[in-house]
Amino acid sequence: MDLSNLHTFRVAACDLNGQMRGKRVPSAYAAKLDTGAVRMPFSALNVDLWGADIDGSPLVFESGDADGVLRPTGRGPVPVPWIDAPTALVPMSMHHDDGRPFAGDPRHALATVLDRYAARGWSVIAATELEFTLLDASADTPRPPVNPLTGRRLEDEAVLSMAEMDAFDTFFTELYDGCEAMGIPAQTAISESGIGQFEINLNHQEAMRCADDTWLFKALVRGLARKHGFAATFMAKPYPDDAGNGMHVHFSVVDGAGNNVLDDGGPQGTDTLRHAVAGCLAAMPASTLIFAPHGNSYTRLVPGAHAPTGACWAYENRTAAIRIPGGATAARRIEHRVAGGDTNPYLMLATILGAALTGIEDAMEPPAPITGNAYEIDGLPQLAADWPTAITRFEADPLIARILPADLIRYLAMTKRQEIARFADRAPETHWLSYLEAV
């Protein structure tokens, strides 16, 4: 994409909450993006949900709120279909002046984990399944959107309804067109079990590209929804009594010859698969903050609500937190089913893949795979039941310390504690407005 033909374009990096932080720059910057011409405070990637500095953060007054250097990630530039004027977005990552990656950048956290796989001669292939809800955000409470064909507000669940998909055909057609223009491999779309809820799967690809595309896809969905007169949200629980939004991730690992190291030609998978599952299970309770990063997230994590709350695994069982899907053995993979739609895709993949590799490195053994309904099994290790507990577990856990940088762990814990304090000063019935299009 030729940036020189544009009047301006956008550069942005991903903050800890998954939001885009960056600048609008003139086309003259196109030739100097690799030279460190775009600078931004390190603290900008470690702000709270509303974009406020974190009280007491070492990135602010203690260090003089120093600038870092934004450099292109290699993923862009991409068009911005939700903006009427022709423009582009160049995804960036944050570095120090000497070229070192900034530890508070979520993308670098994933890159570090993937480098550990590469040191073994392996690469990770991943795909995400993204659920989101279309709604009317014009009133004091979220409401289902109006059906564009009937002019009436949606009232009921419509799982796998083609009529509901057709009702929003103009939006979904433009969404697929936008994905094609941005190089996002959107696959099947379905009407899900919640009112106005839909799911789109992104195709399997290299794990960093998967994270990049998931991040961009969320921005595309939110932006196009507004163009069509409603809002789209990836909130874990838009309505208290309706289905929540999840983000499942599938991954496999291939060696230098292209062989899937999780596949043994049979239904069980290799020892490597079993060790990876064990690592994911061992890290799961302390990883809750990554999979459920907001106060609203914990309204989704309740037993029997199609969101796993106990750390367990199974073959072809969607009640388990980790599922080994059936099908062709060459495509043997692990499906991690815990994260909400509000998760940061870079931190989610870094944590899951880091946990899996730790399990492989330590030759961890998982418990026996479950059968039946996971919600009825007693004694399973549990995810954190609330936001404060999740923060405490996350920052003190030795497995998390092996996966994520110490600085990032510290910054994220500080950010979340500030968000808890700020939400305490806001009327609970208004909290949804803060989350609506920020997560």
Side-chain angles (χ1 to χ4, degrees):
M1 187 175 186
D2 188 357
L3 297 174
S4 64
N5 292 330
L6 303 171
H7 291 299
T8 63
F9 62 92
R10 289 141 172 81
V11 295
C14 180
D15 76 3
L16 290 180
N17 278 312
Q19 294 192 52
M20 292 185 177
R21 303 285 175 188
K23 299 183 178 184
R24 182 170 176 164
V25 298
S27 61
Y29 271 68
K32 52 186 180 180
L33 291 180
D34 290 316
T35 67
V38 183
R39 300 176 67 84
M40 190 169 75
F42 290 117
S43 61
L45 295 192
N46 294 167
V47 292
D48 68 17
L49 186 67
W50 302 272
D53 283 335
I54 305 303
D55 292 341
S57 170
L59 297 172
V60 188
F61 297 120
E62 182 179 316
S63 62
D65 207 10
D67 273 348
V69 178
L70 290 179
R71 297 187 183 278
T73 64
R75 177 58 184 86
V78 295
V80 186
W82 59 93
I83 301 294
D84 289 332
T87 189
L89 168 69
V90 181
M92 310 287 274
S93 55
M94 183 75 84
H95 299 259
H96 295 270
D97 282 321
D98 61 8
R100 287 179 296 122
F102 170 51
D105 185 325
R107 194 176 192 274
H108 289 316
L110 176 56
T112 298
V113 170
L114 295 177
D115 285 346
R116 291 170 56 193
Y117 280 89
R120 286 176 164 254
W122 293 350
S123 58
V124 180
I125 306 300
T128 48
E129 302 174 353
L130 296 105
E131 293 175 340
F132 58 91
T133 301
L134 302 181
L135 50 77
D136 175 359
S138 63
D140 291 336
T141 58
R143 298 181 295 173
V146 171
N147 182 316
L149 294 183
T150 67
R152 298 186 181 92
R153 199 172 299 280
L154 301 183
E155 292 183 352
D156 301 301
E157 300 85 351
V159 64
L160 293 170
S161 167
M162 292 308 302
E164 189 125 313
M165 292 293 301
D166 290 346
F168 292 90
D169 178 73
T170 303
F171 167 73
F172 280 101
T173 296
E174 191 168 353
L175 180 57
Y176 272 100
D177 288 346
C179 285
E180 182 176 1
M182 296 176 75
I184 299 172
Q187 300 295 295
T188 57
I190 63 169
S191 173
E192 261 289 357
S193 58
I195 299 176
Q197 185 186 43
F198 298 90
E199 176 186 275
I200 291 186
N201 300 338
L202 304 189
N203 203 14
H204 287 79
Q205 55 186 334
E206 189 274 330
M208 183 60 82
R209 177 68 181 242
C210 172
D212 287 338
D213 285 354
T214 300
W215 183 58
L216 293 171
F217 179 81
K218 292 176 75 172
L220 175 64
V221 170
R222 290 189 293 253
L224 288 182
R226 284 298 187 183
K227 283 188 67 174
H228 285 263
F230 38 80
T233 187
F234 293 85
M235 285 175 64
K237 198 80 165 177
Y239 305 111
D241 300 320
D242 199 16
N245 290 317
M247 187 192 295
H248 301 167
V249 60
H250 296 246
F251 70 94
S252 57
V253 182
V254 297
D255 63 21
N259 300 308
N260 183 354
V261 304
L262 307 182
D263 172 36
D264 64 354
Q268 302 302 310
T270 62
D271 290 347
T272 300
L273 179 147
R274 195 174 63 253
H275 299 326
V277 167
C280 289
L281 293 176
M284 192 175 290
S287 304
T288 307
L289 185 64
I290 298 296
F291 308 138
H294 305 287
N296 174 262
S297 308
Y298 294 85
T299 61
R300 171 179 171 266
L301 293 181
V302 294
H306 298 286
T309 56
C312 63
W313 72 296
Y315 292 91
E316 275 296 3
N317 185 333
R318 284 185 168 85
T319 69
I322 293 178
R323 168 179 172 255
I324 310 302
T329 64
R332 183 64 65 228
R333 64 192 186 275
I334 295 170
E335 180 187 8
H336 200 291
R337 299 174 55 80
V338 178
D342 54 350
T343 191
N344 180 322
Y346 296 107
L347 293 181
M348 177 194 68
L349 277 166
T351 303
I352 291 172
L353 299 180
L357 187 56
T358 300
I360 294 168
E361 291 171 343
D362 294 359
M364 292 182 185
E365 288 295 338
I370 69 158
T371 58
N373 185 352
Y375 301 112
E376 296 178 350
I377 298 176
D378 294 328
L380 296 177
Q382 295 294 299
L383 276 70
D386 57 71
W387 204 10
T389 301
I391 299 170
T392 301
R393 287 186 181 182
F394 173 77
E395 65 182 345
D397 188 76
L399 270 180
I400 297 297
R402 292 177 61 181
I403 297 168
L404 298 174
D407 284 345
L408 189 147
I409 293 170
R410 180 186 180 189
Y411 300 151
L412 184 58
M414 293 179 72
T415 299
K416 294 301 157 183
R417 287 201 170 97
Q418 177 160 307
E419 290 174 1
I420 287 175
R422 294 193 69 181
F423 271 117
D425 292 333
R426 296 169 181 246
E429 62 271 18
T430 68
H431 288 187
W432 69 280
L433 289 169
S434 296
Y435 290 126
L436 179 65
E437 289 161 301
V439 301

